[in-house]
Amino acid sequence: MKGFGLFVKTLAANTARLNSLDVPSGRLTLVLGNESADLDSMVSSLALAYALSPALNTPPIPIINTNRSDMALRPESTLLLRTTLANDSFNALTFIDDFDLTRVVSYGHKYGLDVWLVDHNAPASRQVELEPFVRGIVDHHVDEGRCKQAERQIELVGSCATLVAERLRNTLGRVEPELAKMLVAPILIDTSELSSSARRATDKDIEMVSWLVPQVEWAWPSADQADQADNSSDEVESLDHVSSTHELYKILDKLKGKVSHLSARDLLRKDYKQWSVGSPVWTVGISSISYRLQKWIKRDSRKQIKKALEKWVEDQHLDIALVMTHGKAKQKGVKVYGRDLVVAFARSVDKEQQRHVLDGMRRSELLGLEPLFDEQDDGPVFFNQTRTESSRKQVFPAVKAVIESLSA
């Protein structure tokens, strides 16, 4: 198998390939991350494309499933990929708005198209035209039961990068230092540095980190390295200097949490997924925000958040929007990790359906919802989510089940 460095060099030709489909060039293979385009999704799409490449005549094309300009909202991903790919190769990545997906689908009907989904197991509601072409799935979310034709590896581990790392270990035995660093980072982020209290890391996550860490070329620690890890600045330009998993995690986690300067709209779209659920169909959108609700309310006020949510629901054509806020906030002088949940309905959803959905969510043991304010007849409903281990990976299936029960 050619090395990761040689595979990275093939990235430069990918966007041009997808924009030159007038000339048949054989069967295409895309590796598509999910539409939230978080660090795990980006890394997993790149690493899985590399893992698949030996079996194909032409290299598979990893797709970053967000617009190129939206990388400005993801400084932690930009820093990691610029460090491990080098600037030229980072700029050569293919983003979802770099080409016309409809043309790719048309090409696929004529000449062949295979799509591998990574970090999700069914195409997003806005990309359903890809469903007949899904050849394989590598994911760590609850199986939605679609794409039955696909080869699938779905395990509820903490990070999808864990499953891709396992695939590479089983086929290669070792990986290059840059790829090892790239893979270990999202596992640390998604499991809160393998924290037992976060209850996200599985034995397989721990096993893969143990396999990857010795392969990373860590910097020699300096005397003040520990202080640098906990007081890392936004101005970090490279991760070449990091000397431990703790320092790597602290730098990336701090960058990921730097969101207080973002507008309400940018907060809602930074880490966003959308689904079509039930019959009749509900359009469900869930935003995940690394910013505690009480800080957001203090900054913008509940009134302004309500206006922003109403506009978001309208612009995205949603029936229901959920906003999951999470992070540390002071309680009796001590910073404690917590979660909150805001639920907003479209005006077109009648009150009886709204009550049914909210009652079902309140009863869900996966969520552990407690009201934060007196509920009003209209507008968003604000909850504290006491089950802090339940991320979007657990919340969406719970909400999906409630919505589907409307037609039961």
Side-chain angles (χ1 to χ4, degrees):
M1 183 174 180
K2 294 180 180 178
F4 183 63
L6 290 175
F7 170 77
V8 167
K9 290 180 180 179
T10 70
L11 299 176
N14 288 339
T15 301
R17 283 173 63 195
L18 293 176
N19 285 301
S20 305
L21 298 178
D22 295 334
V23 180
S25 58
R27 195 172 192 88
L28 280 175
T29 301
L30 306 183
V31 182
L32 184 68
N34 70 46
E35 65 178 334
S36 76
D38 62 0
L39 187 64
D40 190 28
S41 188
M42 292 187 198
V43 167
S44 295
S45 63
L46 283 161
L48 182 60
Y50 171 57
L52 295 172
S53 59
L56 301 172
N57 292 326
T58 56
I61 302 176
I63 305 295
I64 307 299
N65 202 355
T66 191
N67 293 342
R68 183 176 290 273
S69 61
D70 286 348
M71 282 301 287
L73 303 176
R74 298 166 173 84
E76 73 286 357
S77 299
T78 299
L79 178 61
L80 179 71
L81 295 180
R82 282 195 185 280
T83 298
T84 53
L85 295 177
N87 281 338
D88 289 346
S89 296
F90 172 80
N91 294 332
L93 290 172
T94 301
F95 292 79
I96 198 66
D97 63 336
D98 286 339
F99 63 97
D100 185 343
L101 188 61
T102 302
R103 285 188 65 205
V104 171
V105 169
S106 297
Y107 179 95
H109 283 297
K110 292 179 182 178
Y111 305 109
L113 172 65
D114 292 323
V115 176
W116 281 75
L117 301 180
V118 65
D119 204 19
H120 62 317
N121 57 72
S125 59
R126 291 177 283 197
Q127 296 170 345
V128 290
E129 67 267 37
L130 293 175
E131 191 152 341
F133 301 101
V134 176
R135 165 84 178 277
I137 295 166
V138 179
D139 184 38
H140 68 135
H141 298 88
V142 173
D143 194 341
E144 295 186 38
R146 292 160 55 189
C147 306
K148 296 293 188 182
Q149 78 280 7
E151 173 188 332
R152 60 214 300 122
Q153 181 185 11
I154 300 176
E155 299 180 38
L156 301 182
V157 293
S159 172
C160 191
T162 290
L163 301 179
V164 181
E166 181 185 41
R167 181 178 287 243
L168 288 165
R169 183 195 63 178
N170 292 345
T171 55
L172 297 180
R174 289 188 62 80
V175 293
E176 288 90 332
E178 295 81 9
L179 181 54
K181 183 182 285 185
M182 184 189 293
L183 283 164
V184 79
I187 303 175
L188 296 173
I189 290 294
D190 284 359
T191 63
S192 298
E193 204 177 4
L194 302 178
S195 165
S196 58
S197 61
R199 289 181 280 183
R200 296 179 199 157
T202 66
D203 289 344
K204 186 170 286 190
D205 296 298
I206 296 168
E207 180 185 356
M208 288 302 101
V209 168
S210 297
W211 175 67
L212 289 165
V213 165
Q215 300 178 70
V216 178
E217 290 183 350
W218 302 103
W220 193 259
S222 61
D224 59 349
Q225 205 76 43
D227 288 339
Q228 290 176 5
D230 289 312
N231 298 293
S232 53
S233 161
D234 294 352
E235 303 305 316
V236 174
E237 296 181 356
S238 170
L239 294 171
D240 290 335
H241 69 283
V242 299
S243 62
S244 66
T245 55
H246 176 68
E247 187 182 1
L248 178 64
Y249 170 76
K250 283 292 185 181
I251 291 172
L252 294 177
D253 187 57
K254 187 171 183 179
L255 279 176
K256 182 183 177 184
K258 289 287 184 182
V259 298
S260 60
H261 63 290
L262 298 178
S263 67
R265 179 177 176 80
D266 282 347
L267 287 173
L268 291 168
R269 71 188 184 91
K270 180 179 187 291
D271 188 352
Y272 174 74
K273 291 184 181 179
Q274 185 171 307
W275 297 265
S276 297
V277 172
S279 179
V281 172
W282 280 52
T283 303
V284 180
I286 305 183
S287 302
S288 178
I289 303 174
S290 303
Y291 193 39
R292 286 303 300 273
L293 182 60
Q294 64 190 62
K295 294 181 180 178
W296 192 12
I297 291 173
K298 184 177 180 180
R299 189 192 80 171
D300 289 356
S301 81
R302 284 167 57 190
K303 182 179 179 180
Q304 291 303 314
I305 292 173
K306 174 185 175 181
K307 288 177 65 175
L309 271 172
E310 288 173 346
K311 184 71 165 59
W312 181 251
V313 167
E314 181 182 343
D315 289 349
Q316 304 303 315
H317 307 290
L318 301 177
D319 294 291
I320 181 173
L322 292 92
V323 182
M324 303 182 64
T325 67
H326 57 96
K328 290 186 176 181
K330 282 189 177 180
Q331 293 181 8
K332 299 179 180 179
V334 178
K335 283 191 173 183
V336 179
Y337 181 83
R339 287 184 177 274
D340 308 291
L341 183 65
V342 186
V343 184
F345 295 93
R347 291 188 178 92
S348 58
V349 178
D350 69 54
K351 298 298 182 184
E352 187 58 37
Q353 289 180 318
Q354 292 186 30
R355 280 192 290 272
H356 177 94
V357 172
L358 288 170
D359 287 346
M361 291 176 64
R362 290 188 192 95
R363 289 193 297 268
S364 173
E365 294 182 1
L366 276 172
L367 304 181
L369 298 182
E370 296 177 348
L372 283 175
F373 310 109
D374 291 336
E375 294 181 18
Q376 301 175 350
D377 289 337
D378 63 341
V381 183
F382 297 80
F383 295 103
N384 172 243
Q385 182 185 316
T386 62
R387 292 292 297 269
T388 56
E389 72 274 18
S390 291
S391 65
R392 182 167 49 198
K393 193 163 63 170
Q394 290 78 33
V395 170
F396 170 66
V399 174
K400 178 175 181 279
V402 173
I403 292 173
E404 290 175 338
S405 71
L406 283 166
S407 55

